[in-house]
Structures are given as structure tokens and as C-alpha cells.
Amino acid sequence: MEFTPSAEFQVAEGPRDIGICFIGDGFVAGYGDPKALGWVSRVVGRTPTHDADLTAYNLGVRGESSAEVMQRWRAECPVRWAGRGERRLVVGVGAHDLDHGISTARSRLNLANVLDEASTSGIATFVVGPPPTLDPELNGRLQALAEAQADVCSRRNVPFVDCFLPLRDHDQWQSDLAAGDGVHPAQAGYGLIAWLVLHHGWQRWLQLGD
């Protein structure tokens, strides 16, 4: 089966009306950022919208697993997409699957189910992978999870942003984690995630000009 989650959208006149839901865990919610922006607000704030009317909703919940997000997006996103010309879904899950005892295989399946269901409903999807922590043992499992998510997205032609490898040995990222809980970044770290998202296919996915 061929998935086409980023199909062309046609608008007769006026600006495109885009509704974007960001669904995921505490990284999506921006937990730990003293500016209360996280990476989501930074990305939305730097997205050019001169030819579009964009409405963004942050639906991140701290500590949620991919299984919980898989159930929750069905209830929380449709009401926010009501009346929008384009429905788009950004998914950031998996970092807390290890805390919940969810295997990489099950986490992979949970993400695949979200992407497949969205695709069959005409919803364009974009995935942001889990970032590294300061725990080497935990990072080994997170890397396996990030690679599994990348494969799920590649098979479906869904954009995937790898946050793990670019940040694993990044000095600023590590300093930010060390100053906090060792897992969630602060202002600088969320800025780094936002940079990765903005420079890895974000505007191309939205079909917006530079």
C-alpha cells in the first residue's frame, strides 16, 4: 500500500486555512522551558504564513506513552480541525515508552497505527523523534527507538526529524540537561530541537514559501 499523507491541497481563493495539532509527551508540551515556549511555539513562531492562515494547537502531555497518545489524538484533534481546509498532525512520542515498559516493537506499532489511520483520513503527518538524555544506558534504547521510528516513517514517506544523533554529543544540549532533570532541556535545548525541525523539511511539508 502506498501512503500519500502530504497530498496537494487546492484553495479556490484567499489564504490556505491550515490546522496543525501537535500531539505527544512532555517534550511537545515544552516541559522545563522557563520561557514556556518549548520547541513547538518556536517552530510555529518562525513559520512564514504570508500565504496561509495557520492555527496551531499544542496537545502535549508530560509523561505520556505512545500508547496513550495513540488513543488520545482521535478524541482531541478532530474538534480542533473542524472547519479547517487542511488537517495536519505532528507527532512526538516514544521518549517515555521506556518508563512505561513498552517495547521498541510495540512503540513502533503504535506510531505506525497513528500514521496509517491519519493517512487513510486524509491527514498529513510529520514526526519528531525522541532526543537523548544524560544516561548512556537509556540512550542505547532511545537510539534503537529513534531508528525504528525513522524506518516507520520512511516506509510511509512521512517526514521524520532525528533529534537523537544530532544532540547526543552536543555540548549545549548536555549542559542544558545537566542544569535540569537530566532528561528535559531548558530554553537552549528546546531552541536546538526547533532548529532541527525547521531545517529538516518543515516548510516543504507545509508547502509554504521561504
Side-chain angles (χ1 to χ4, degrees):
M1 180 179 296
E2 181 179 354
F3 295 89
T4 56
S6 297
E8 295 287 339
F9 294 89
Q10 302 296 329
V11 178
E13 60 181 44
R16 293 163 55 203
D17 188 1
I18 307 171
I20 307 180
C21 289
F22 294 82
I23 194 84
D25 52 28
F27 292 103
V28 172
Y31 173 74
D33 183 359
K35 295 292 186 180
L37 294 174
W39 65 262
V40 171
S41 291
R42 286 180 169 86
V43 166
V44 174
R46 295 171 187 166
T47 299
T49 57
H50 56 273
D51 59 350
D53 184 2
L54 189 152
T55 307
Y57 300 94
N58 190 325
L59 304 178
V61 174
R62 182 183 172 192
E64 279 208 334
S65 70
S66 62
E68 292 168 318
V69 169
M70 180 180 66
Q71 298 298 323
R72 188 164 60 86
W73 84 273
R74 301 185 184 112
E76 296 190 16
C77 293
V79 67
R80 292 168 171 85
W81 282 322
R84 303 285 69 80
E86 299 181 27
R87 298 171 298 162
R88 292 180 179 266
L89 179 66
V90 180
V91 184
V93 296
H96 296 286
D97 282 11
L98 306 181
D99 302 330
H100 290 259
I102 298 176
S103 68
T104 297
R106 174 54 62 177
S107 182
R108 174 192 178 104
L109 180 60
N110 290 340
L111 176 61
N113 285 338
V114 172
L115 301 184
D116 291 351
E117 186 173 339
S119 176
T120 58
S121 302
I123 300 163
T125 50
F126 188 101
V127 178
V128 179
T133 69
L134 293 179
D135 184 336
E137 189 275 332
L138 182 60
N139 279 347
R141 292 186 287 161
L142 278 173
Q143 182 172 358
L145 177 58
E147 291 172 351
Q149 290 189 351
D151 183 62
V152 168
C153 292
S154 176
R155 291 173 182 270
R156 291 159 174 77
N157 196 30
V158 170
F160 174 79
V161 178
D162 179 16
C163 293
F164 185 86
L165 289 179
L167 297 178
R168 181 181 56 187
D169 300 317
H170 196 289
D171 291 341
Q172 192 174 35
W173 175 263
Q174 292 180 340
S175 297
D176 225 28
L177 294 189
D181 63 3
V183 176
H184 297 89
Q187 184 178 355
Y190 280 115
L192 291 171
I193 295 178
W195 188 95
L196 289 171
V197 172
L198 288 166
H199 290 82
H200 288 82
W202 177 251
Q203 288 182 212
R204 183 169 61 253
W205 177 66
L206 285 173
Q207 302 173 15
L208 293 172
D210 294 332

